[in-house]
Amino acid sequence: QVQLVESGGGSVQAGGSLRLSCAASGSTFCIYEMGWYRQAPGKEREFVSTIARDGSTSYADSVKGRFTISRDNAKNTVYLQMNSLTPEDTGLYYCKTTPHPRALIACDASAYWGQGTQVTVSS
């Protein structure tokens, strides 16, 4: 019912910036909170940032002050502006969306994931 497609990943030197995009398509009522997670090789996937439809945001402590999440509800698209990147930010970045709790009955999953986009930060 929902498909997510990430873009904007790439290779950048430490201190540089990247802007990730994630476009969601499908049942709009199944798209409420949107966010980003990342996974480095050999490590568990970890939370990066989320944003609710009303604009409320949350960030992992490791990216606070450097990353900014935003969304365009009309386009069902979420963005992640990443500044002052370090090699520790390297990983596969995944887009995620979850339905509003009251809409969950109409959706076929409690969460939807994109395929991921690679971010590589070199020293």
Side-chain angles (χ1 to χ4, degrees), residues 109-123:
S110 59
Y112 300 90
W113 294 88
Q115 294 297 308
T117 184
Q118 179 66 39
V119 171
T120 302
V121 185
S122 60
S123 60

Side-chain angles (χ1 to χ4, degrees), residues 59-74:
Y59 296 92
D61 289 341
S62 60
V63 306
K64 219 165 189 177
R66 299 188 298 120
F67 291 10
T68 302
I69 191 170
S70 61
R71 67 187 290 169
D72 184 336
N73 290 331

